[in-house]
Amino acid sequence: MDTLLQAKQLLEQGELVAIPTETVYGLAANALNSEAVAKIFQAKNRPNFDPLIVHTFEVGQVEKFVLDFPPILQKLAEKFWAGPLTLLLPKQALIPDLVTAGLDRVAVRIPRHPITLALLKMLDFPLAAPSANPFGYISPTTADHVRQQLGNKVKLILDGGASQVGIESTIVGFENEQVTVYRLGGISLEQIVQVVGKVHVKPHSSSNPNAPGMLENHYAPRKPLIINELNLNQFIQQGYWEFEKWGKINAEDMAAISFSQTMPLIPLAQQIVLSPTRQYAEAAQNLFAAMRSLDAMNIKIILAELLPEEDLGRAINDRLRRAAAK
Ligand code: TXA
Ligand code: MG
C-alpha cells in the first residue's frame, strides 16, 4: 500500500505516525482525539504539563481552531508559513485540554515538508506532534534517529530524508500587547524583528507558567556536554583538563563540537565541525546529528563551542546551553 495512505489510515484509527518536517521529525496523532494524543505522551514518556504543537496545512484551517488571530501575528504567518514558525493563539474548545496542557492558547504551525503537507491535506483533522524523541533527549533529524529510539512505539515512520532546518520552530505569541518570542528556533530573531519591529524575548524555563514545557534541562545527550571554556595554551601543555565537576579528563577521552575549526589534541574522529565556512543554517542542520553521534562514542565528555550570538547562532547556543544544563 502507498505509505501516505497507510499513514492516513493509522492516524484515522487513533494511532501514532512519525512524520518528517523541515525542523525535526515529529511524533504525530489526531489532535482532536484525546485518546490518540495520550499515546504521544506515553510513547515519549512526556509529562502531561508539556503542551503539544498542532500542525496543519493552510491558514484557513488555523482559523477553525483559534478564537482570535492578532493581525501582527498574521503578518508573521504570511511571511514565514509554511516554515519553522509556531504561533500561540487562543484556542477553541474543540482542541482537547491534553494538547495544550490546560492552557488557553494552542501552539500552531504549518510545516514545510512536502510529504507531511501532502499527508495533512489528506486528513480531515490537524496533527498534534512534538519532536519524535524520548522526553528530554536530542530531537531527531532523520528517520533513523526516530527508529533507534521510538521504533518499537510507533507503527509507521515516514522517511522524508534529513531535516533541512535541523532545529525546532521559533515559538511566538502576543502577550501584554507585545510580540513575544518564547523559544528561539529556525526563524531568527532578526527575521521576526524585520516584520514586526520590537519583540519581547521571554527566556524559557520550567518556572515560566506560560511555557511549562520549555524546560531548561532539555535537548540533552547522555554524556555530559560542557560549554568549552578551556584555556587552549594550558590544555596543549598539559594534554588534559581539570573540570570542576568531572575531574581530570585526557584529550583522548574528549569529543568536541565546534563552529568552524577543530580543537587541538582531541582525536579528529571525535570532533565535528558544524560549518567550515561559518554558515549558521548549515550549522543548525548538523547540530543534533553531531550531538547524537558524539554521544554514541567511547568518550567521557563532549566539549561544545558557542557560536556568535546572532542569526541562528542564538538558537544553536540556546540548545547547547540546555544540553549542558544537565
Ligand atoms: O519544530 C517544531 O516545533 C517541532 C516539529 C515537530 O514541529 N516540534 C516541537 O515540538 O519541537 P515539542 O513538543 O518538542 O516542543 C514544543 C514546545 C513545547 O516544549 C511547549 O513548551 C511549547 O512548544 N508549547 C506548545 N504548546 C504551548 C502552549 N499552548 N503554550 C506554551 N507553550 C507551548
Ligand atoms: Mg521536543
Side-chain angles (χ1 to χ4, degrees):
M1 200 200 326
D2 181 277
T3 39
L4 271 186
L5 215 54
Q6 200 187 342
K8 173 178 190 272
Q9 286 181 359
L10 286 167
L11 291 163
E12 283 171 352
Q13 289 157 14
E15 298 295 339
L16 304 182
V17 173
I19 57 169
T21 89
E22 79 283 21
T23 58
V24 301
Y25 275 68
L27 183 61
N30 178 351
L32 306 184
N33 175 343
S34 291
E35 272 173 51
V37 171
K39 291 181 186 168
I40 296 177
F41 287 92
Q42 244 171 24
K44 278 191 59 123
N45 218 345
R46 179 176 172 122
N48 280 349
F49 58 75
D50 195 3
L52 306 178
I53 297 174
V54 171
H55 299 71
T56 185
F57 61 92
E58 60 173 21
V59 181
Q61 298 295 313
V62 172
E63 281 152 12
K64 295 183 185 169
F65 318 127
V66 305
L67 293 172
D68 179 38
F69 199 155
I72 195 156
L73 296 187
Q74 286 185 38
K75 266 170 84 175
L76 287 175
E78 271 163 37
K79 179 84 183 173
F80 300 119
W81 277 348
L85 171 75
T86 293
L87 295 176
L88 292 184
L89 299 167
K91 86 174 188 81
Q92 290 194 22
L94 144 105
I95 300 289
D97 283 336
L98 188 55
V99 170
T100 59
L103 299 169
D104 51 18
R105 288 190 297 182
V106 59
V108 270
R109 169 164 122 76
I110 302 182
R112 201 170 56 203
H113 198 289
I115 293 179
T116 291
L117 279 176
L119 175 64
L120 286 165
K121 282 180 195 158
M122 290 161 68
L123 298 168
D124 52 17
F125 47 81
L127 291 175
S131 51
N133 50 284
F135 183 70
Y137 196 67
I138 305 159
S139 296
T141 52
T142 68
D144 260 343
H145 294 164
V146 182
R147 211 167 286 127
Q148 283 156 22
Q149 293 189 304
L150 296 177
N152 57 347
K153 297 191 173 156
V154 43
K155 297 223 164 125
L156 178 66
I157 300 169
L158 291 177
D159 191 342
S163 296
Q164 274 183 6
V165 174
I167 49 175
E168 301 84 350
S169 59
T170 303
I171 303 183
V172 182
F174 193 62
E175 190 181 334
N176 301 326
E177 302 300 307
Q178 292 184 94
V179 174
T180 305
V181 175
Y182 301 90
R183 178 174 74 181
L184 299 169
I187 302 286
S188 71
L189 213 49
E190 288 87 342
Q191 283 176 293
I192 292 180
V193 167
Q194 229 171 47
V195 177
V196 301
K198 210 170 153 259
V199 302
H200 179 60
V201 182
K202 205 164 175 176
H204 17 125
S205 80
S206 47
S207 58
N208 173 0
N210 273 315
M214 293 166 172
L215 305 173
E216 217 164 279
N217 170 0
H218 225 103
Y219 310 105
R222 313 264 180 239
K223 301 261 166 63
L225 183 143
I226 297 164
I227 304 296
N228 186 358
E229 284 168 11
L230 305 197
N231 172 322
L232 278 190
N233 288 334
Q234 198 184 336
F235 177 56
I236 292 168
Q237 269 175 22
Q238 297 174 160
Y240 66 85
W241 194 256
E242 177 115 33
F243 294 93
E244 208 172 290
K245 189 159 172 201
W246 315 99
K248 240 187 217 180
I249 298 191
N250 292 324
E252 306 86 77
D253 294 325
M254 297 178 184
I257 298 179
S258 323
F259 186 20
S260 58
Q261 280 186 308
T262 53
M263 287 276 296
L265 298 192
I266 300 177
L268 287 179
Q270 290 159 211
Q271 298 203 51
I272 295 180
V273 166
L274 294 174
S275 175
T277 54
R278 300 178 77 82
Q279 307 295 313
Y280 292 115
E282 183 184 31
Q285 229 170 44
N286 293 329
L287 178 69
F288 288 152
M291 283 164 70
R292 271 176 194 265
S293 69
L294 297 183
D295 200 21
M297 286 181 189
N298 186 19
I299 46 108
K300 293 193 176 137
I301 58 151
I302 303 169
L303 287 179
E305 176 192 33
L306 292 179
L307 276 60
E309 282 291 331
E310 60 175 17
D311 201 311
L312 294 186
R314 294 177 211 269
I316 293 170
N317 290 346
D318 170 83
R319 302 306 186 269
L320 289 173
R321 291 194 183 101
R322 273 165 216 279
K326 231 172 197 172

